[in-house]
Amino acid sequence: MSAKSQGDPGEDHVSRVRAESPCSDMKRAAAKKLIERYFYQLTDGCGNPHCDNQHCASSGKVTNLTPNQAAAQAIQLFSQEARLCDGTQPSKVARTIEPGQTSLAKSLPVKSVNPTSSDEGKQEPYLTEAKLLDIIEKCKAEDSYALLIRTLGEVFSSGKALSLSFQKTEKSNSPLAALLDRAPDTLLRPPADLNKEAVRSLQGEDKEEDSSDPSPTVPNNDDTSVDLPSVRRAFEALWSVPGEQFESALVNALVTLADDIELDLRVFRIVRWDSMDSLLNVFLIVFEIPMLGNSEYLELALHMLCKALSCLPVVAQAKLARVWAKHCKSRLPNLLQALQELITVKVIGGSFTRDYCVQDADTITAPTKVMKILYYASMLAGELDPPELILGDEAESASSDKTSSSRSSISGQIPQDPLATELGINALDARKPFIPFTDFYNEPLSDAIEMDKDFAYYKSEEPMKFSFMNYAFVLTPATKTLGLYYDNRIRMYSERRMSFLQTVVGQPTNPYLRLKVRRDHLIDDALVELEMVAMENPSDLKKQLVVEFEGEQGVDEGGVSKEFFQLVVEEIFNPDYGMFTTQEDTQMTWFNPTSFESDAQFTLIGIVLGLAIYNNVILDVRFPMVVYRKLLGRKGAFADLEDWSPTLYRTMKELMEYTGDDMPETFMQTFRVGYRDVFGSLSFHELKENGDELYVTQENKKEFADLYADFLLNKSVERQFNAFRRGFQMVTDESPLALLFRPEEIEQLVCGSKIFDFAELEAATEYEGGYTVDSEAVRNFWRVAHSLPPESQRRLLQFTTGSDRVPVGGLSRLKMVIARHGPDSDRLPIAHTCFNVLLLPDYSTIEKLQDRLLKAINYSKGFGML
């Protein structure tokens, strides 16, 4: 309590002293430093085991003092000029000693300590960096590590003890600092001047305060009371000791700790913990252990810690993700590597069956759950797009209650991840995560998952069923494509079953989405029929597509549809058609901002793209990445210009990075921009009112860049793109597309892989009809295939499979079959594209095989009998 509050004009006195004495601040600092030395002498001691100073903790003559009592007694010793031991110095950073704790010297289990709850009146042991260093030095000097082993075992096996360890020192949390701040005038005169009531209040013990949580309250949602740099230094010092001296004890302690925490969270629902922050402190410390990915830690401790951490409520997991993102960036890649190694080891070493699969193994699912926290921490630690880039319908959902079941209209009834909702972010928001998204893929796990069963778990209403589809970041795109395939096929079967039931009750409907088109009027026929379906019954778009070319004998088991999509894409995305343009420097397809086509036409093109994904057909479409971001609900931004138009992006970067004050004279750029339409005519647009009179300067250059990008990528094609997206959603609105895939993965889904490796195709090919891998005709076929130029190889792929695109995951995903088609003859090879089967006669020479094969792939078109 200050002197002023007691009627003493202390404040005026201090002001006069400061004004009259130029060295008053120095005296005040010196007095404060001396009082701190008395305080730490009472609490920590001088370190001399033979000390005889009755006012030093090392002498054993100081009774257990609360922090408030130690603060009051330090002031009294200062006023009495009591003896001060040599070497007693306050830490470089004052340490926090909270109510309910003993002195730092007494708290360390130098002797055998039985950790008990503070509710029983005994104190928990805990560690600081300084104490751990002291123990290590003592153990090295004595060449005995019993004290270190005992200390690590007691502290790291007790959640309560560990939560009190390595705490930051907050000035506002120190009783001594609080006293000095409240009564700075007392530092310049003997503390005996303090009134009796103030001294009594300092010496007395606040019972309510003592029984509270000893860990400091963390005011910020992304902050922590753990001194993480101190933890890292302490662990670095610990591992300077040979690992065999202590690691077994530490591993056993961590297993005990994890068991106890999991029990608390699953059974007691954390009622045994005073606060969630103190529990998070434990995980922050143990996940800083640098050897978690090695030997015993990986096999025993890490798995158990992941199980305990995965039990945390969503709010606590979100807090942990924020703290990791803010304070543990350098630690995130190593932690991810440890989790990946744990999952891989358990997948490779596991014995899984249909009855016991990877989804049932908590040794795999628990680290996957922890990896999700790390996944969002990586996004928070990277570059995030601002909220204003969320499209209109998305923004409404994002700003609604966090319990909303969906943020994306494209995902329909797909529930939003609770952790993402709590954090208020989405994978689409991460322009550049701290750790690349691809580093989260685990290929051994992806290969081991039986996606049909995982999809069944995903659809299950039982909350205990774990599905990797809800943790899609760990799966490779090829595996996720299977999940989407099962969803699409089941929906097709459902529509077919409903058609059958309607037929039974006298309302016959077609169980398929049938399109009958003429080759010479392909676009007109297809768009007219699709428009009728979209108007009359949009749900029919979710039926299996069956295409028939008028006058041809092909039966569509998949191959006819592939050719239909290929022909549609070739024609409708041709710039001569007028709906799309081609970017000069990238040769990518973009919407024609001056198109005369109606919104319905763009809607139908969106339906075609959705149908291709829905029917597992790869298209030869070259959209910039911003199109897929916009399809998933994000506007185009300045960063998207790099992919959309690299030349323009470089020019804009030069403008943005220019630092001179003569920007208007140098660039002569106003807020009026020009662009050319599909006919080559130059048009102008003002980004702001009277933009032609407003020059770009250092102050407004960022605004100019954002407005220019917004115009090019959003506003100039708003009508066309919104209609296109509406058609796409008509097919994919109930699909888990947005749940499983990011924009760059959807590009792979639509366009296929960019890696064209015929060696992969050869390794994955099977043989029938008498052929084997060693047959002469088969060896000759692959010699010819590998010698072809890339364009001819693509035609061969198209001839055999109906598409020249590489599926997601590479050509190894194609199960091509080469079957013997009789003895040597003059017939050309035949392909059943619906089943990827090549019927190859047993040609006698490689020259004959090459001649017949090239004729087949160069002149084949349509479906008929050969």
Side-chain angles (χ1 to χ4, degrees), residues 594-733:
T594 57
S595 173
F596 298 112
E597 300 294 337
S598 66
D599 290 359
Q601 296 291 88
F602 282 97
T603 298
L604 293 172
I605 302 306
I607 290 176
V608 169
L609 184 66
L611 285 174
I613 293 177
Y614 192 61
N615 288 272
N616 202 31
V617 176
I618 300 172
L619 302 179
D620 185 13
V621 178
R622 294 196 65 193
F623 279 131
M625 190 60 62
V626 65
V627 170
Y628 301 105
R629 286 181 56 82
K630 287 165 68 71
L631 280 175
L632 292 179
R634 293 301 183 273
K635 296 179 182 178
F638 175 72
D640 293 306
L641 290 178
E642 184 174 11
D643 178 58
W644 187 79
S645 176
T647 304
L648 175 61
Y649 180 77
R650 285 194 298 269
T651 303
M652 294 293 292
K653 284 287 286 184
E654 290 178 6
L655 183 146
M656 294 290 289
E657 294 171 356
Y658 188 77
T659 57
D661 294 332
D662 59 344
M663 180 174 283
E665 295 79 13
T666 302
F667 290 93
M668 297 294 292
Q669 178 65 56
T670 67
F671 275 70
R672 183 178 185 231
V673 294
Y675 64 98
R676 294 189 180 277
D677 60 22
V678 71
F679 304 107
S681 301
L682 185 63
S683 302
F684 294 94
H685 174 77
E686 291 191 353
L687 301 176
K688 295 180 70 173
E689 187 176 355
N690 300 323
D692 193 32
E693 303 173 5
L694 181 61
Y695 281 88
V696 177
T697 65
Q698 289 291 349
E699 290 72 25
N700 61 22
K701 65 182 181 181
K702 186 179 185 304
E703 180 187 17
F704 169 76
D706 291 339
L707 289 175
Y708 194 16
D710 184 50
F711 169 70
L712 292 174
L713 302 177
N714 303 313
K715 291 183 178 178
S716 65
V717 295
E718 185 173 18
R719 175 183 67 84
Q720 295 87 335
F721 181 81
N722 285 345
F724 174 78
R725 183 172 183 247
R726 186 162 53 250
F728 184 76
Q729 290 175 335
M730 290 175 70
V731 183
T732 61
D733 59 346

Side-chain angles (χ1 to χ4, degrees), residues 3 23 44 108 315 366 472 636 744 757 779 783 827 849 860:
C23 64
D44 281 5
L108 191 70
V315 175
E744 60 271 22
D757 186 356
R779 291 203 302 270
R783 290 193 190 102
R827 289 184 299 175
L849 184 149
S860 63

Side-chain angles (χ1 to χ4, degrees), residues 569-584:
V569 166
E570 286 179 0
E571 187 168 345
I572 209 164
F573 286 101
N574 190 319
D576 295 339
Y577 201 78
M579 295 182 69
F580 296 90
T581 64
T582 300
Q583 300 290 94
E584 291 184 5

Side-chain angles (χ1 to χ4, degrees), residues 472-504:
F473 57 84
V474 78
L475 304 178
T476 60
T479 301
K480 288 188 279 193
T481 301
L482 282 176
L484 185 66
Y485 173 81
Y486 286 122
D487 182 82
N488 294 340
R489 288 297 167 181
I490 289 174
R491 190 168 287 112
M492 290 177 185
Y493 296 151
S494 176
E495 292 292 337
R496 198 178 306 170
R497 187 166 55 250
M498 288 299 297
S499 296
F500 174 76
L501 294 176
Q502 289 175 338
T503 302
V504 170

